[in-house]
Amino acid sequence: MVDLDWDDVQLFLRVVRAGSFNAAAEGTPQTQPTISRRIFALEQALNTRLFRRLPRGVRLTPAGDAILCFALEMERAARFIVATAAQETELSGRVRLWVTDGIGGYWLPPRLAEFHKRFPAVTVDILCSQEPPNIDKMEADIVVHWVEPAHPDLVILSKNTMVFRPCASRDYLEIYGMPQTLGDLRRHRLCNHLHYPRDGEWKIWAELLEGHPNLSYRTNSSMTLGEATVHGVGISLQPIGVVDREPNLVMLDLDGYEASVSFWLVCHRETKDVPRMRALIEHLQSTLFQSQLQGTAFKKLPSSE
């Protein structure tokens, strides 16, 4: 097995393109004898002649012509390696961000406009599905997940809480009236998310829905549930920040009831410091996960006391 020196392969390509050892030396610190000697050493290592030496230059031998194809492939591969490495150290390229459909479809887009202005060469792939990706297998680069990761190669970048309260549209309340307590909801139309938790503080809502006579709408999509509520289909639990963006919605104080879900911003340890990843991570931390910003899903209502 010959241990090829990439510099010698590059020199071989330079001689091919120049047509002679003299021309290959022009504009370089190497002399014609040095280039001739290195090509001869390469031929010795490969145990074949690459060039026919002619009075006015060189010409590829059949063996040299065959090797040229592979040398050009090596050159293309080297350029690809350099370009890929540059992409990893520059603010360009693709970032795959997995989020729930509610965050990805409703909360995130208004907060990405400024990011794209600052980093126009970065492409953000927003991935939404019912099954979260296996980030350990690099199915996504960054994940906003409602389950705390336990794998040692995953890094928790931020954590915040999304707070929910009963919510109805003004149109709905004009037709059906304003409920005053949770008990009043037995006489109202309700909408529900199939993936809402059923334990802890969520148990109250789950028990209210069980056997409810007017459960008018169920879905596995947060975006769909929000649209149904905005258009007066019924009362649902919605993130508290939604009323800052939807003037037709009213957040209801029903016995002070609210429920919450924690979310984690997660990235693989090996990619968290890649510049384009870091840029998006910092943007998400300062916008989506910044609790004091108005209109975000992640914020706590001021105490009513």
Side-chain angles (χ1 to χ4, degrees):
M1 185 69 181
V2 177
D3 187 13
L4 280 178
D5 188 328
W6 169 237
D7 288 340
D8 288 339
V9 176
Q10 289 181 293
L11 184 60
F12 166 73
L13 289 172
R14 192 195 312 164
V15 173
V16 170
R17 287 163 177 153
S20 72
F21 295 142
N22 280 327
E26 290 179 3
T28 75
Q30 295 174 313
T31 63
Q32 181 271 335
T34 299
I35 292 176
S36 179
R37 186 169 55 252
R38 287 182 59 186
I39 290 296
F40 179 74
L42 178 60
E43 292 175 322
Q44 291 285 87
L46 294 173
N47 196 29
T48 188
R49 290 188 65 185
L50 301 174
F51 295 103
R52 290 177 57 199
R53 276 70 170 175
L54 304 173
R56 294 187 178 180
V58 294
R59 181 180 298 167
L60 284 170
T61 64
D65 194 49
I67 289 171
L68 175 62
C69 296
F70 297 104
L72 291 171
E73 286 296 324
M74 291 175 66
E75 184 180 54
R76 279 192 286 269
R79 287 175 179 169
F80 180 78
I81 290 170
V82 171
T84 301
Q87 189 180 85
E88 293 301 302
T89 57
E90 295 176 359
L91 286 166
S92 63
R94 183 173 65 131
V95 181
R96 297 165 302 163
L97 171 64
W98 186 91
V99 289
T100 61
D101 80 296
I103 294 175
Y106 188 79
W107 299 106
L108 189 59
R111 292 171 171 81
L112 280 182
E114 182 60 30
F115 177 83
H116 289 301
K117 289 178 184 177
R118 292 182 60 197
F119 308 107
V122 176
T123 300
V124 181
D125 290 354
I126 303 298
L127 311 174
C128 302
S129 65
Q130 296 302 319
E131 291 297 323
N134 187 331
I135 193 172
D136 184 45
K137 293 182 179 179
M138 301 296 190
E139 293 178 354
D141 299 311
I142 304 170
V143 170
V144 179
H145 205 340
W146 65 88
V147 177
E148 183 175 6
H151 196 283
D153 288 336
L154 302 183
V155 179
I156 297 175
L157 305 160
S158 292
K159 178 188 174 183
N160 215 327
T161 299
M162 185 179 284
V163 181
F164 294 74
R165 280 191 176 180
C167 191
S169 73
R170 298 183 188 278
D171 298 334
Y172 174 91
L173 295 174
E174 285 182 9
I175 297 172
Y176 297 100
M178 174 76 75
Q180 301 298 319
T181 67
L182 283 173
D184 290 346
L185 293 183
R186 299 295 298 179
R187 299 185 295 275
H188 281 265
R189 306 184 66 81
L190 300 186
C191 305
N192 192 45
H193 198 303
L194 294 172
H195 291 169
Y196 277 167
R198 300 180 60 85
D199 57 351
E201 57 202 354
W202 290 88
K203 186 176 180 181
I204 295 173
W205 186 255
E207 290 177 346
L208 180 65
L209 292 170
E210 207 162 310
H212 195 283
N214 292 311
L215 184 55
S216 57
Y217 197 89
R218 296 196 306 166
T219 179
N220 63 355
S221 165
S222 299
M223 277 285 289
T224 304
L225 182 67
E227 283 296 298
T229 308
V230 167
H231 288 89
V233 175
I235 297 173
S236 69
L237 290 184
Q238 291 293 320
I240 55 177
V242 72
V243 295
D244 293 325
R245 288 182 49 192
E246 302 293 344
N248 190 41
L249 288 183
V250 176
M251 199 66 64
L252 307 176
D253 184 0
L254 305 179
D255 304 322
Y257 177 70
E258 64 182 31
S260 61
V261 173
S262 293
F263 278 80
W264 288 265
L265 183 64
V266 181
C267 186
H268 197 281
R269 191 177 304 277
E270 292 182 2
T271 60
K272 69 180 180 67
D273 293 320
V274 173
R276 66 180 184 278
M277 308 288 182
R278 174 55 55 186
L280 182 57
I281 288 167
E282 292 176 355
H283 186 78
L284 293 174
Q285 288 173 323
S286 65
T287 56
L288 188 67
F289 277 80
Q290 187 64 270
S291 60
Q292 68 262 33
L293 287 182
Q294 187 177 23
T296 180
F298 299 104
K299 73 171 186 177
K300 186 75 172 176
L301 280 174
S303 173
S304 58
E305 295 181 2

